[in-house]
Structure formats: structure tokens, C-alpha cells
């Protein structure tokens, strides 16, 4: 019986191969979308106790620096620091030179990032020198920076060029992507701009993740009647909203994913329907030979299932072979929130879709084959 | 007189087409004894295939009863009937209907995969059946690599590989040239005489019918026996 299914699959090799390939390609696309989404939600480096406060309208709006004092007074706040996205250009516009560079406050930064480990003396050196910066271990290694090296970043959002000296390295215990970031003292830019006192975001560490919702509500309520209202969210959610500035990516991804699944479903259904139609007489012959209805159902379903599983397996094999390369490519494109990692979730998703696709596509032909009257199947030829 | 293998009593069959009921069989009764070779003749559309299909258990009568070897077919549900067909009936089609993706050997093995036989036991049965039809040297050929007559011989081998008591053939020579048809008829006669298979064969060809030991004529849904010999 297995032999029959295998031979039937090979009967129209080109059709089978095309179908398997299109399933594989679609699932690869889907898996990458899923991986990207997972990476963007920043699950790895986001701290569940960390909260980000930003302008209610958009990330591109800023808030008065004085908000820091008032937020710090909230009940569950353990630490608060400022965080400004400087952007700018390092050397040139090549994607590998586009990594996040944040202006922050060296005095309060360590309070908000307790999970980071700093090289000895780094914090003190950073605090002592206005033009000092610290870099993540992965980033420093990639760029070949040594302590004492000076780099220049040309301003674009802000009309200031900054010249920074590396004074320390920090590492993250689990997330390499959290190390592809540079932090410098925002006061440097602040003074160069004539002290406007405008802040993009405040990062707050709470005493416990349990107090997250309460603090979010308090923070937003605090500035409800101010000209600059704020939006507070978890760090993970903030990562996402940051990405969403470029368009509603999450929605887009889901829509693309659904479209991909739908089209591949129709392709598979069509293949299976064609295969089944060609074989109406054969099914009638099998039944005449004594194959039961359920056995015929199983044969058709298994054939269709194999197409789905083969496609998924091919897609997965490709993913496994290329995930590493893709991850470093994305990192070089500035997608550094988190590493792309082929965990359990994505392969399970891919296999699950492959299996359901196979079964769903085979269901109608299988039921037709099962319910066909033998005499009708036999009469079709002559 | 040998034991009665097939007993058909007052069987009718109507097909529903749109709103109309077409009466195909209007009360047919007949017996076939163990070891008989019966030819079923009659004009096109007279219901020969219909009767044979009922006998093979691949269709059910509108009324009446069919017993084969004491078993009433109406008493079996669909899957029991499938098992019954597998054990008791070998069916030979006009257009052979071999599975194109399987070799001659594999086509014969297919019905045996429904049994508990080991691979070696299956091989013995398949080889024997191919031997009987004289195509042992063609066992690795695919149907498209065989001539029509050879295909039909493989199909006959498939029908007997499970060693059924009853072999049913619907115009087995209808698609063959005279020479091949002759070979097929010889083969069926041999199965009947040497192996004691009971055969019911539908045919249009009077010369084919002559090879059988009894002729029955179906006309307008009723059976007339034509005595001979
Ligand atoms: N499955 C079916 N559905 C509807 N009508 C059918 C069906 N099978 C047979 N008939 C009708 O029943 C009648 C008898 O058909 P059957 O195939 O038994 O005739 P036959 O004697 O075998 O003819 P032929 O010599 O042409 O093969 C025909 O009118 C046919 O159209
Ligand atoms: Mg007929």
C-alpha cells in the first residue's frame, strides 16, 4: 500500500515536485516572517520589569526633561534614565554601519540595566568624561574597537557631529543582540544644541513586574492634562511600537502569512483534486478487489499528507541550513533587537502547517473516493 | 449435480436517473453450480453488466436476494462486503484495469496485501498465478509495456491470485483482436476445467459464448436460458 502511494506520487513527477517545492518555499517565507516577529518582540533582552515612557503622539516627539523627576517619584520606580535615539551616520551608509546609538545618562543608566555587566572601571570613566561612550561586547568585536579608540558620528536628526572615545565594554548574559548597541552621554548633544531639554524616552525599572500595569496607568495619568501627554508600555511592547513606526509590520506580516497559506492551499487542493480525478477508475478497481472505504480514504489522505510533509521538511531543512547566515545578515541590517534563533516554535509551526495543508487538501478527494459508488467509478472509462 | 454456488432469486434493479426510475432488471432468478462456466449474453443495455456487478457484490439489488456459497449478500454491511469480495470473487474487466504505476508482479500482490500473508507467501502465490497465465517472464513489466492480450492475462492472474471460488468476467475479450481473444478464452476454460473455478462471463461474441458450458440470455431485464449441448 505504501508502495502504491509512493508510486502514485511519482506518477506525475513534475506536478508533485512543483507542488512540494511551492509548499516548501511558502513555508520558508512563513517561517522567516515568524522568526522576524519573534525577534522583533525582543523577548530575549526585554526585561519584564522595565517600562518605557514616550510621547503619546509618536516616538519622534519629545517630552520635557523635567518629567524625569516626577516619574521617579512614582511608588514602584527603582531606577529611571533617559534614552534618546541619535541615529546619525557612522563612516558611511552601509547597513553594517547602522547600529543603534543611544544618548543616555551615565549616572542613572546602570540602575535601569542591572542585567548588564560592565568592564572594570567602565562606569566611572564614562561618568568622568563627557565624550566617553560604552559599547556592547559583540559590537566592539565586530568593529575592532579597543578602549581609547575615537569614533565620529555625523548627526542627521540632530545637527551635531559627535566625537566619542571608547571607555568601556558591557556584556549581556544571554542576548548577543543586546550587545550590538552603543551608549553615550546625552549631555554632550544637549549642550551642543543649547540645552533644549527634550527627551525621546524614559526607561524605568520597577521593583517587580507585578506592578507594571499599575505604574503604566499612573504614568499616563500623571501627564494627562499636560501639553505633552505620554504613553507608557513594557519594554517588549516598546520594541514593537518602535518597529511599527515603519508601518504596521506585525499586521502586514500576518496578512502576508495568511495570503501565502491560502494560495499554497489552493495549489495543493488543485493538485490533489487533479490526481484524484485521474484515478477515479483505479479507486473503483481497488474497491472491487476488496479494499474497504476507509482504506481508500487512508490511501488518498496519506498521499496528500506526504506532499505536505515533504514540503515542510524541505522548507525546514533549508531554514536550518540558512538560519545562521540570515541572522547575521539581519544584524548587519540593523535588526539588532534580538537574534534570530530557530527554536522549537517555528519548526513546530512549519510542520503543523505542512501536515494540516496536506490533510486539508486531501480531504475532499479522499471523501469523494470513499463515497463513490464502485459501479459509477467503473462506468466512467468506457 | 454439483453444489449450487450462486442462487439469485427474483432480483430487480432500478437506476434512478433524474426523476425517472429505469428498470434494468425486472425479476431475475438463476442458479450457478460449483464448477460451471456460464456465458451471459444479450443486447447492449439489457443489464448484463448490472447483473454481474450485483453478483460481484459491488452493487446492491433494489429487491430480491443473492446468495453465494450460502452467504446472503444483503446481510453484509459495506466493509464486510469488501472483505467478502476479496475472499470469494475474482473480477476481470473489459479494459483490464491494471494499476498503471505498479508492475505485473505488484498488481498481483496488491490484493494479497489485504491478507496476513508474509512476503514470501505472497511471492509464492503471485509467481504461481503468473505461471498459470504464462507470463512469469513479464512480472517486472509495467502495464504499458504489455500488449492488450498480455494485460488481460495479468488481470486474470490478479483475479485468481486470492484463489476465489467465483471468477466473474465482463466482456473479457471485448477489447482484443481475435487471436488474443482466443488465448483469453482458452485460459478461462483452463481455469474452469483444471482448477475448478466457477466462471460467469458476460459476452457479446457468440464464439466466445460457445466456449462456455451454459449460455444465458438477458433481454429487457429478463433471463432466458438457451439450452445447448
Ligand atoms: N450506474 C448507473 N446509473 C444509471 N444507469 C445505469 C447505471 N448502470 C447501468 N445503467 C443503465 O442500465 C442499463 C443496463 O446497463 P448495463 O451496463 O447493465 O448493460 P449491458 O447489458 O452490460 O450493456 P453493454 O452490453 O452495452 O455493456 C443501461 O440502460 C444503462 O444506461
Ligand atoms: Mg456491460
Amino acid at each position: 500500500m505504501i508502495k502504491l502511494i509512493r508510486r502514485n506520487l511519482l506518477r506525475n513527477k513534475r506536478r508533485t515536485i512543483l507542488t512540494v517545492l511551492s509548499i516548501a518555499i511558502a513555508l520558508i517565507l512563513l517561517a522567516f516572517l515568524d522568526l522576524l516577529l519573534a525577534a522583533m518582540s525582543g523577548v530575549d533582552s526585554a526585561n519584564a520589569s522595565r517600562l518605557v515612557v514616550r510621547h503619546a503622539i509618536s516616538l519622534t516627539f519629545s517630552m520635557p526633561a523635567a518629567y524625569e523627576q516626577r516619574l521617579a517619584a512614582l511608588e514602584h520606580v527603582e531606577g529611571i534614565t533617559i534614552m534618546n535615539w541619535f541615529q546619525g551616520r557612522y563612516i558611511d551608509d552601509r547597513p553594517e554601519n547602522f547600529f543603534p546609538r543611544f544618548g543616555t545618562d551615565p549616572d542613572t543608566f546602570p540602575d535601569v540595566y542591572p542585567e548588564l555587566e560592565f568592564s572594570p572601571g567602565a562606569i566611572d570613566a564614562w561618568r568622568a568624561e563627557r565624550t566617553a561612550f560604552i559599547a556592547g561586547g559583540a559590537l566592539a568585536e565586530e568593529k575592532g574597537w579597543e578602549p581609547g579608540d575615537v569614533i565620529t558620528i555625523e548627526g542627521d536628526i540632530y545637527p551635531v557631529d559627535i566625537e566619542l572615545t571608547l571607555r568601556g565594554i558591557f556584556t549581556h548574559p544571554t542576548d548577543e543582540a543586546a550587545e550590538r548597541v552603543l551608549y553615550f552621554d546625552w549631555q554632550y548633544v544637549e549642550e551642543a544644541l543649547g540645552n533644549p531639554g527634550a527627551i525621546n524616552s524614559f526607561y524605568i525599572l520597577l521593583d517587580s513586574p507585578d506592578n507594571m500595569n499599575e505604574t503604566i496607568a499612573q504614568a499616563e495619568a500623571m501627564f494627562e492634562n499636560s501639553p505633552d501627554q505620554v504613553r507608557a508600555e513594557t519594554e517588549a511592547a516598546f520594541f514593537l511600537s518602535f518597529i511599527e513606526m515603519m508601518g504596521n509590520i506585525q499586521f502586514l506580516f500576518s496578512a502576508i502569512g495568511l495570503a501565502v497559506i491560502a494560495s499554497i492551499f489552493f495549489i495543493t487542493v488543485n493538485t490533489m483534486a487533479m490526481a484524484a480525478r485521474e484515478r477515479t477508475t483505479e479507486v473503483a478497481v481497488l474497491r472491487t478487489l476488496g479494499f474497504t472505504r476507509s482504506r481508500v480514504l487512508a490511501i488518498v489522505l496519506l498521499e496528500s499528507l506526504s506532499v505536505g510533509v515533504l514540503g515542510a521538511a524541505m522548507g525546514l531543512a533549508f531554514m536550518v541550513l540558512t538560519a545562521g547566515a540570515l541572522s547575521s545578515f539581519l544584524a548587519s541590517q540593523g535588526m539588532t533587537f534580538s537574534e534570530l534563533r530557530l527554536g522549537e516554535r517555528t519548526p513546530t509551526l512549519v510542520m503543523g502547517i505542512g501536515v494540516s495543508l496536506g490533510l486539508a487538501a486531501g480531504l475532499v478527494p479522499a471523501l469523494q473516493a470513499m463515497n463513490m459508488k464502485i459501479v459509477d467509478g467503473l462506468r466512467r472509462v468506457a | 449435480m454439483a453444489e449450487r454456488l450462486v442462487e439469485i432469486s427474483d432480483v430487480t434493479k432500478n437506476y434512478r436517473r433524474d426523476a425517472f426510475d429505469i428498470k434494468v432488471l425486472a425479476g431475475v432468478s438463476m442458479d450457478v453450480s460449483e464448477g460451471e462456466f456460464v456465458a451471459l449474453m444479450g443486447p447492449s443495455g439489457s443489464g448484463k453488466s448490472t447483473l454481474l456487478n450485483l453478483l460481484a457484490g459491488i452493487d446492491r439489488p433494489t429487491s430480491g436476494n443473492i446468495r453465494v456459497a450460502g452467504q446472503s449478500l444483503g446481510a453484509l454491511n459495506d466493509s464486510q462486503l469488501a472483505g467478502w469480495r476479496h475472499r470469494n470473487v475474482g473480477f476481470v474487466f473489459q479494459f483490464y484495469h491494471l494499476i498503471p504505476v505498479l508492475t505485473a508482479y505488484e498488481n498481483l500482490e496488491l490484493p494479497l496485501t489485504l491478507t496476513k500473508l508474509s512476503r514470501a507467501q505472497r511471492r509464492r502465490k503471485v509467481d504461481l498465478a503468473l505461471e498459470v497465465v504464462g507470463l512469469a517472464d513479464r512480472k517486472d513489466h509495467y502495464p504499458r509495456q504489455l500488449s492488450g492480450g498480455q494485460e488481460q492475462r495479468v488481470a486474470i492472474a490478479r483475479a485468481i491470485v486470492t484463489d476465489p471460488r467465483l471468477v466473474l468476467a465482463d466482456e473479457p475479450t471485448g477489447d482484443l483482436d481475435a487471436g488474443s481473444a482466443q488465448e483469453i478464452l482458452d485460459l478461462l476454460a483452463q481455469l474452469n476445467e483444471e482448477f475448478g473455478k466457477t466462471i460467469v462471463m458476460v459476452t457479446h461474441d457468440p464464439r466466445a459464448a460457445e466456449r462456455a458450458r451454459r449460455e444465458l440470455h438477458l433481454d429487457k431485464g429478463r433471463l432466458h436460458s438457451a439450452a445447448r449441448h
Side-chain angles (χ1 to χ4, degrees):
Chain A
M1 202 166 102
I2 299 299
K3 194 182 283 173
L4 179 65
I5 293 169
R6 201 175 59 221
R7 292 282 175 76
N8 271 333
L9 279 172
L10 294 177
R11 172 182 301 204
N12 193 329
K13 282 200 196 67
R14 194 170 41 156
R15 185 172 64 197
T16 305
I17 290 173
L18 282 178
T19 310
V20 167
L21 268 183
S22 37
I23 292 178
I25 291 171
L27 287 179
I28 288 168
L29 185 55
L30 216 65
F32 279 151
L33 290 181
D34 183 61
L35 281 178
L36 280 178
L37 267 184
M40 282 176 186
S41 60
V43 271
D44 286 338
S45 63
N47 186 320
S49 296
R50 206 147 45 219
L51 175 68
V52 181
V53 175
R54 56 148 168 116
H55 199 282
I57 296 176
S58 147
L59 267 173
T60 55
F61 284 66
S62 48
M63 301 162 288
Y67 279 17
E68 183 172 359
Q69 293 301 323
R70 298 181 57 190
L71 287 167
L74 285 173
E75 186 186 352
H76 300 290
V77 172
E78 295 266 289
I80 178 166
T81 193
I82 59 169
M83 200 63 76
N84 279 1
W85 172 258
F86 182 73
Q87 193 163 304
R89 179 197 289 158
Y90 169 67
I91 302 182
D92 55 29
D93 284 327
R94 279 185 303 154
E96 56 264 41
N97 284 326
F98 184 82
F99 49 84
R101 355 191 207 262
F102 285 104
T104 181
D105 180 351
D107 291 332
T108 50
F109 179 84
D111 305 341
V112 181
Y113 282 92
E115 73 268 33
L116 296 184
E117 284 192 35
F118 300 90
S119 57
I123 298 292
D124 290 339
W126 190 23
R127 286 174 179 165
E129 193 180 350
R130 179 117 317 161
T131 58
F133 78 97
I134 59 168
L139 181 64
E141 196 176 324
E142 211 175 282
K143 302 294 174 213
W145 293 336
E146 298 290 341
D149 282 3
V150 177
I151 64 168
T152 305
I153 298 172
E154 230 178 281
D156 47 15
I157 300 177
Y158 301 95
V160 190
D161 294 351
I162 51 176
E163 215 176 80
L164 301 167
T165 312
L166 182 63
R167 291 300 181 203
I169 302 289
F170 64 87
T171 53
H172 188 282
T174 54
D175 186 13
E176 207 190 69
E179 296 181 10
R180 290 212 178 82
V181 187
L182 171 165
Y183 296 102
F184 66 94
D185 190 344
W186 182 251
Q187 198 57 36
Y188 181 6
V189 176
E190 181 71 10
E191 280 169 15
L193 294 171
N195 296 305
I199 302 299
N200 274 163
S201 56
F202 298 100
Y203 276 51
I204 296 174
L205 188 74
L206 299 181
D207 52 6
S208 153
D210 299 338
N211 297 320
M212 182 60 80
N213 291 336
E214 186 189 336
T215 312
I216 286 178
Q218 288 171 349
E220 291 185 348
M222 186 177 265
F223 303 104
E224 211 161 38
N225 299 315
S226 317
D228 295 300
Q229 295 169 1
V230 304
R231 165 108 159 256
E233 52 203 350
T234 63
E235 186 178 21
F238 176 73
F239 279 169
L240 264 187
S241 64
F242 182 84
I243 299 286
E244 279 166 6
M245 277 205 311
M246 300 173 243
N248 196 335
I249 291 199
Q250 204 172 9
F251 172 77
L252 191 68
F253 277 15
S254 313
I256 295 175
L258 273 181
V260 167
I261 295 183
S263 68
I264 202 62
F265 175 73
F266 290 123
I267 292 178
T268 315
V269 163
N270 186 43
T271 303
M272 292 320 298
M274 261 157 65
R277 209 173 311 126
E278 284 165 14
R279 267 176 249 151
T280 312
T281 315
E282 273 164 52
V283 167
V285 171
L286 288 180
R287 297 263 306 276
T288 305
L289 292 178
F291 283 67
T292 54
R293 287 177 189 274
S294 39
R295 202 173 275 265
V296 166
L297 178 88
I299 289 178
V300 180
L301 268 187
L302 272 176
E303 182 178 337
S304 176
L305 183 66
S306 333
V307 170
V309 169
L310 270 178
M314 259 179 74
L316 267 186
F318 181 83
M319 292 292 299
V320 168
L321 292 176
T322 59
L326 186 90
S327 183
S328 34
F329 169 74
L330 283 176
S332 72
Q333 297 291 309
M335 298 273 216
T336 52
F337 295 110
S338 178
E339 203 178 351
L340 271 197
R341 219 175 291 134
L342 207 55
E344 258 172 37
R345 204 182 98 91
T346 307
T348 314
L349 182 83
V350 166
M351 258 305 153
I353 294 181
V355 167
S356 351
L357 210 59
L359 286 180
L363 196 62
V364 170
L367 287 176
Q368 266 168 2
M370 178 171 120
N371 291 323
M372 178 186 68
K373 292 180 71 180
I374 302 178
V375 282
D376 291 338
L378 289 176
R379 276 164 60 89
R380 277 177 59 126
V381 236
Chain B
M1 186 77 181
E3 180 201 345
R4 273 188 302 182
L5 184 63
V6 177
E7 300 161 70
I8 298 178
S9 41
D10 204 21
V11 159
T12 68
K13 179 72 185 175
N14 302 342
Y15 279 116
R16 182 166 272 278
R17 187 170 287 162
D18 303 322
F20 302 100
D21 262 355
I22 315 172
K23 260 196 168 61
V24 180
L25 298 177
V28 170
S29 299
M30 69 180 250
D31 293 339
V32 179
S33 302
E34 178 99 54
E36 266 201 292
F37 185 176
V38 178
L40 191 55
M41 304 199 46
S44 188
S46 55
K48 305 182 295 294
S49 296
T50 302
L51 182 57
L52 202 69
N53 291 343
L54 293 176
L55 202 47
I58 58 179
D59 205 357
R60 293 180 185 272
T62 306
S63 71
N65 195 18
I66 300 176
R67 292 171 81 85
V68 177
Q71 172 67 56
S72 170
L73 301 193
L76 301 175
N77 68 24
D78 267 8
S79 75
Q80 289 169 329
L81 197 57
W84 175 86
R85 278 197 299 276
H86 178 257
R87 288 186 304 275
N88 294 282
V89 177
F91 205 100
V92 181
F93 306 92
Q94 176 176 0
F95 298 103
Y96 337 129
H97 288 331
L98 298 174
I99 305 294
V101 289
L102 299 179
T103 62
Y105 183 92
E106 291 161 348
N107 262 287
L108 264 64
E109 198 183 17
L110 192 58
L112 296 179
T113 59
L114 297 178
T115 66
K116 289 194 176 70
L117 295 177
S118 71
R119 179 185 291 262
Q121 289 169 317
R122 295 203 298 262
R123 181 175 326 123
R124 221 169 302 131
K125 283 190 179 260
V126 172
D127 285 343
L128 182 65
L130 281 172
E131 197 79 46
V132 169
V133 301
L135 286 176
D137 54 334
R138 297 303 180 105
K139 66 178 184 179
D140 293 326
H141 287 221
Y142 286 91
R144 70 183 127 76
Q145 297 168 318
L146 300 171
S147 73
Q150 287 167 338
E151 275 196 73
Q152 192 61 300
R153 274 148 70 191
V154 173
I156 290 173
R158 177 178 64 183
I160 59 170
V161 75
T162 52
D163 203 18
R165 289 165 90 171
L166 191 56
V167 174
L168 305 174
D170 196 349
E171 304 191 39
T173 60
D175 201 44
L176 297 174
D177 62 77
S180 304
Q182 206 52 51
E183 284 173 18
I184 294 300
L185 292 170
D186 290 343
L187 186 54
L188 288 173
Q190 184 194 357
L191 290 181
N192 175 245
E193 285 154 22
E194 274 179 42
F195 298 91
K197 299 288 176 208
T198 308
I199 301 180
V200 179
M201 172 178 74
V202 167
T203 184
H204 275 295
D205 180 1
R207 272 173 309 172
E210 270 172 32
R211 302 295 298 267
R213 295 200 246 160
R214 178 152 70 112
E215 275 179 41
L216 293 172
H217 283 265
L218 202 55
D219 200 4
K220 300 203 179 76
R222 293 192 183 278
L223 206 56
H224 313 273
S225 59
R228 206 160 46 79
H229 298 309

